[in-house]
Amino acid sequence: MKNLFDLTGRFACVIGGGGYLGGPICEALASHGAHVTIADRRFDAAQAAAARLCESGLSAEALALDVCDEPAVGAAFDGLLERHGALNIVVNTTTWSTGKKMEEMTLDDWQAGTRVSLGGAFVVGREAGRIMVRQGGGSIIQFGSMYGLVSPDPRVYGAKWTCNPPDYEAAKAGILQLVRYQAVMWAPHGVRVNAVVPGPYPNPAGMGADREFVEQLSRRVPMGRVGRAEEIGGAVVFLASDAAGYVTGTYIVVDGGWTAW
Ligand SMILES: NC(=O)c1ccc[n+]([C@@H]2O[C@H](COP(=O)([O-])OP(=O)(O)OC[C@H]3O[C@@H](n4cnc5c(N)ncnc54)[C@H](O)[C@@H]3O)[C@@H](O)[C@H]2O)c1
């Protein structure tokens, strides 16, 4: 029987692939057979992630890319198409914010954050769609957040940490509608557009190192724990693969139940 999740012969590009969740996402796609181009504004991080995959016998390469550089995004996808003959899967995990509190955030701060987190998603989606429509198919996967569905509970963050900033939350909510819009526009061309919506996956290099905070966060999750980075790749592989051949314009929440109560 055909393995519906097999990505052998598919070419994927994961933007933000040098990040905390980006690495395991690239690994999940590559271990299902895809060749993965790991793109990131931080080229060193993309290179390190690609080297890790290649060392384990998987197929990957690194690319320097800034999602806010419109011509560069288009040129990068054109280059991948030319080199590989196809661009089947594009995943965008990029996000950025000044991280300022709402009361201190200026319009410039807001615009700088939404430019990357929502504007970047728009540019990536538009340029991937342009190629995939011509090609007659493909899968675009954007990254939302539980905080695009519900607001953070400030009591969980206490005095030590600040809640995710408002530009982030608005961008993440916007991504879900962007996905629905692009999905409808490109459905006749076989291009599927969806989002993955992660719950709490605190990065051990930051908030995740604060044991007390992680415990506090875990108490808020029906499953009683935070997510492990490697638990996000399954949803991406599903959406990228033929198993999701009739899935478009929607999102998969991977949050241990955070948004269920
Ligand atoms: N980690 C979590 O708990 C969590 C929770 C909910 C949603 N998410 C979402 O999942 C996605 C991945 O999260 P993460 O924890 O891996 O974040 P991360 O910050 O570790 O990774 C983001 C990556 O994007 C890259 N990037 C930022 N701006 C860029 C730009 N302009 N062009 C190209 N690359 C750029 C960064 O260099 C980084 O490698 C994000 O969209 C985030 O909002 C994460």
Side-chain angles (χ1 to χ4, degrees):
M1 190 183 157
K2 189 182 167 207
N3 177 357
L4 286 172
F5 298 94
D6 185 15
L7 299 176
T8 306
R10 311 274 170 97
F11 292 93
C13 179
V14 179
I15 309 157
Y20 176 54
L21 299 183
I25 290 166
C26 294
E27 189 177 347
L29 291 169
S31 62
H32 281 77
H35 171 82
V36 183
T37 301
I38 305 180
D40 206 291
R41 183 163 63 176
R42 296 178 303 127
F43 184 54
D44 53 341
Q47 272 183 314
R52 272 196 302 276
L53 295 195
C54 293
E55 276 160 23
S56 348
L58 300 172
S59 183
E61 64 187 339
L63 182 74
L65 189 62
D66 185 328
V67 290
C68 293
D69 185 343
E70 281 192 84
V73 175
F77 290 168
D78 283 337
L80 291 177
L81 181 66
E82 203 176 301
R83 191 152 73 250
H84 302 306
L87 181 62
N88 310 103
I89 302 155
V90 169
V91 183
N92 175 39
T93 75
T94 58
T95 191
W96 185 84
S97 172
T98 60
K100 290 186 185 169
K101 284 187 177 166
M102 183 159 64
E103 293 77 4
E104 289 151 19
M105 182 168 278
T106 64
L107 182 56
D108 281 348
D109 296 328
W110 170 279
Q111 284 172 338
T114 53
R115 183 175 162 78
V116 178
S117 300
L118 185 55
F122 164 67
V123 171
V124 167
R126 188 193 66 203
E127 291 307 303
R130 174 177 62 80
I131 284 175
M132 289 175 180
V133 163
R134 242 179 21 223
Q135 184 177 257
S139 172
I140 300 171
I141 302 162
Q142 301 278 3
F143 262 68
S145 166
M146 63 189 190
Y147 291 150
L149 295 176
V150 296
S151 178
D153 178 349
R155 292 169 301 187
V156 173
Y157 292 82
K160 197 161 167 199
W161 298 100
T162 48
C163 298
N164 288 58
D167 56 319
Y168 175 85
E169 316 258 321
K172 291 300 176 181
I175 280 175
L176 302 184
Q177 181 59 13
L178 176 70
V179 156
R180 284 188 281 262
Y181 184 91
Q182 292 181 333
V184 168
M185 297 303 152
W186 295 331
H189 305 280
V191 180
R192 297 184 296 101
V193 190
N194 294 287
V196 171
V197 175
Y201 295 76
N203 188 333
M207 285 170 157
D210 181 342
R211 189 186 289 252
E212 206 181 309
F213 172 69
V214 172
E215 275 169 18
Q216 176 110 329
L217 209 53
S218 301
R219 278 196 289 275
R220 180 66 183 72
V221 188
M223 287 186 73
R225 64 172 178 85
V226 297
R228 293 187 276 270
E230 65 273 14
E231 289 178 313
I232 206 77
V236 176
V237 169
F238 168 67
L239 289 173
S241 71
D242 293 348
Y246 198 51
V247 180
T248 198
T250 191
Y251 54 86
I252 298 179
V253 184
V254 192
D255 70 349
W258 182 286
T259 53
W261 61 9

